[in-house]
Structures are given as C-alpha cells and as structure tokens.
Amino acid sequence: MPRRGRPKVEGRDPAYAHTFQAKRPPLPNGMPASVRIPPVDDTPPVKPSPPAGEGEAASLTSEPSPDQVATDQGMEPAETAPDPIPETKAENPRPAAKPGKRAKAEHPDAAPAQSKDGAADDTPPGEKRKVSLKVSVTTAHVEAMKPLVARGLPQRDVLALAGRRAMKRFDPTPEFVPMPEGDRVPMTVAYSTTKYVPADMLDAMRDVHDPLRVKSDAAMVRGQFETLFWSVLDDVIEELRQQRR
C-alpha cells in the first residue's frame, strides 16, 4: 500500500503570517491590538565598577596587617604557631596481661597450684587437703533397707544417718586399707562426703601405693572409710528395725 507523503509548502502568504497578530486580544487599557509592548527585561542590573582612583584609595585606607606594621617598624614578623597535631589512638592496643600470668612472671619460683587429685608433693607440712569420698553399698544392704522403706523411711535418709555417724568415728591413718569385697550396686545408691586429711600423710601413702601419681587422694583412704561405713550401716539398719517393731 503506497504511503501518503507530506505536502510541501512553497512560497509565503502574507495574510497567513499575520493571522496570529490579528487574534491577539486587546489590552485592558483600551490600546489597539496593533500596538506592541516591548518585553520586560528581568536580568539584574550590572553594578558599574568604581573608577581606578577609588579602588586604589580604598586599599590605602584599609588597616595594615600585623606583619606589615612590624616590617615598617623594623621588627621581624611574629611567627605563627603551627597547627596542633591531632592525637591518634593505636588501632590494635595490646591487651593487658591476666593477673595470674603476671604474678607467675614476677614470681617464677612460686609454688605451683595444687591439682584436683592432690598430686602436688610440695605442700607445706602440717596442712590438710580436702578429699572427696564417695562410697557405695552392697546388694545385701539394699535388701535389708527394703522393710524400712516400706514403713516410710527413705533409703537416702538411712544412708545419710549412717554416713554422719561414720564421719564422727573416721580418723584416717597412714596404713593403706584396700576396698572391702562385696557385691556393690551402681553408684546411684551411694553416700558422698568430704574430709580434710593431712597432706604429708597422703603424700607418704602415694609414694608407696601410687608412685606413678595416677590415682587420687580419695583412693588412698577410701578403703578405710568404706569398711567403717558398711559396719555403721549394718548397725543403723538393725537399730531402725528394732524401733519399728
């Protein structure tokens, strides 16, 4: 399909050129539309530059600088103080040393801390170490306590009573006593306590029975306490049976 081309305008029609001027509305002051008002210039006026003489006079009447006054009087101008250098902080400050490490560094000959199992051999004589004791019971003891439990006495209370009485009678000795033989129940049924034992006695016992220092201090005296605890527990069970009859 052929496209329609744009018509070409040739020549100039004076009547057409003045149609926009003829359509202008009359001014409100009653002047004819043929009168043309010049456009208003909104650009700010340019300030005229002062004459050459006035500029030089202004520079002469201005106050002189302190350096210029000093130069005119024959003195050297005062030196201006340099700008202060801003303080800068270190990006990676060095962390403070821990009290323990610092004390160790200042006193390298200090005695080492005592281990949990009491393996330190440099304990001053006459001091005592706290030993944690945990002893178990046998199946015979559990069966003997069942009638007491059925009557309303908790098993842990019977063990606690026997343990308190055994601790009053327990006096550790340097003689090593092996753990007594018996059909032990799991450690869920056990009695736990602590005892302060002379450190020199524990060290002497470990020199003989634990030269490699692989056992704890409790292993040195557990046999003594467990033997005593079982004996006291038998007496407590029999005493409570007599009271409940």
Side-chain angles (χ1 to χ4, degrees), residues 98-120:
K98 295 182 179 180
K101 294 184 179 180
R102 184 176 181 180
K104 186 176 181 181
E106 294 178 356
H107 305 281
D109 299 334
Q114 179 182 345
S115 59
K116 293 183 179 180
D117 58 353

Side-chain angles (χ1 to χ4, degrees), residues 43-71:
T43 56
V46 180
K47 186 177 181 181
S49 58
E54 295 180 4
E56 294 176 358
S59 62
L60 292 175
T61 57
S62 60
E63 295 182 0
S65 61
D67 296 342
Q68 184 177 357
V69 173
T71 306

Side-chain angles (χ1 to χ4, degrees), residues 103-150:
K104 186 176 181 181
E106 294 178 356
H107 305 281
D109 299 334
Q114 179 182 345
S115 59
K116 293 183 179 180
D117 58 353
D121 296 333
D122 54 354
T123 306
E127 291 190 0
K128 295 184 178 181
R129 289 203 292 262
K130 187 177 182 180
V131 180
S132 299
L133 298 173
K134 188 173 183 180
V135 294
S136 60
V137 297
T138 62
T139 55
H141 292 119
V142 175
E143 293 295 331
M145 286 187 291
K146 284 184 177 180
L148 301 177
V149 175

Side-chain angles (χ1 to χ4, degrees), residues 21-66:
Q21 184 69 21
K23 292 182 179 180
R24 290 182 59 183
L27 296 177
N29 55 4
M31 298 180 66
S34 60
V35 179
R36 309 185 89 180
I37 300 175
V40 180
D41 190 4
D42 297 335
T43 56
V46 180
K47 186 177 181 181
S49 58
E54 295 180 4
E56 294 176 358
S59 62
L60 292 175
T61 57
S62 60
E63 295 182 0
S65 61

Side-chain angles (χ1 to χ4, degrees), residues 1-211:
M1 181 178 180
R3 297 180 61 183
R4 182 178 181 182
R6 180 181 298 178
K8 295 182 180 181
V9 179
E10 298 179 358
R12 182 178 182 182
D13 188 359
Y16 177 79
H18 293 280
T19 55
F20 298 102
Q21 184 69 21
K23 292 182 179 180
R24 290 182 59 183
L27 296 177
N29 55 4
M31 298 180 66
S34 60
V35 179
R36 309 185 89 180
I37 300 175
V40 180
D41 190 4
D42 297 335
T43 56
V46 180
K47 186 177 181 181
S49 58
E54 295 180 4
E56 294 176 358
S59 62
L60 292 175
T61 57
S62 60
E63 295 182 0
S65 61
D67 296 342
Q68 184 177 357
V69 173
T71 306
D72 296 341
Q73 295 179 2
M75 297 184 297
E76 295 182 357
E79 296 181 358
T80 58
D83 296 336
I85 301 176
E87 297 181 0
T88 57
K89 296 183 180 180
E91 295 181 358
N92 297 323
R94 185 176 180 181
K98 295 182 179 180
K101 294 184 179 180
R102 184 176 181 180
K104 186 176 181 181
E106 294 178 356
H107 305 281
D109 299 334
Q114 179 182 345
S115 59
K116 293 183 179 180
D117 58 353
D121 296 333
D122 54 354
T123 306
E127 291 190 0
K128 295 184 178 181
R129 289 203 292 262
K130 187 177 182 180
V131 180
S132 299
L133 298 173
K134 188 173 183 180
V135 294
S136 60
V137 297
T138 62
T139 55
H141 292 119
V142 175
E143 293 295 331
M145 286 187 291
K146 284 184 177 180
L148 301 177
V149 175
R151 295 176 183 177
L153 291 178
Q155 181 176 265
R156 62 174 178 271
D157 292 349
V158 178
L159 296 177
L161 178 60
R164 290 180 181 180
R165 293 184 180 181
M167 285 296 295
K168 291 181 180 180
R169 296 169 50 184
F170 180 49
D171 187 14
T173 61
E175 181 181 358
F176 179 78
V177 178
M179 290 179 16
E181 297 181 0
D183 186 13
R184 291 176 172 81
V185 298
M187 295 301 289
T188 54
V189 182
Y191 176 76
S192 301
T193 186
T194 56
K195 179 74 174 179
Y196 283 92
V197 183
D200 52 355
M201 185 185 71
L202 291 172
D203 295 336
M205 296 176 67
R206 298 186 69 176
D207 290 340
V208 178
H209 304 282
D210 186 26

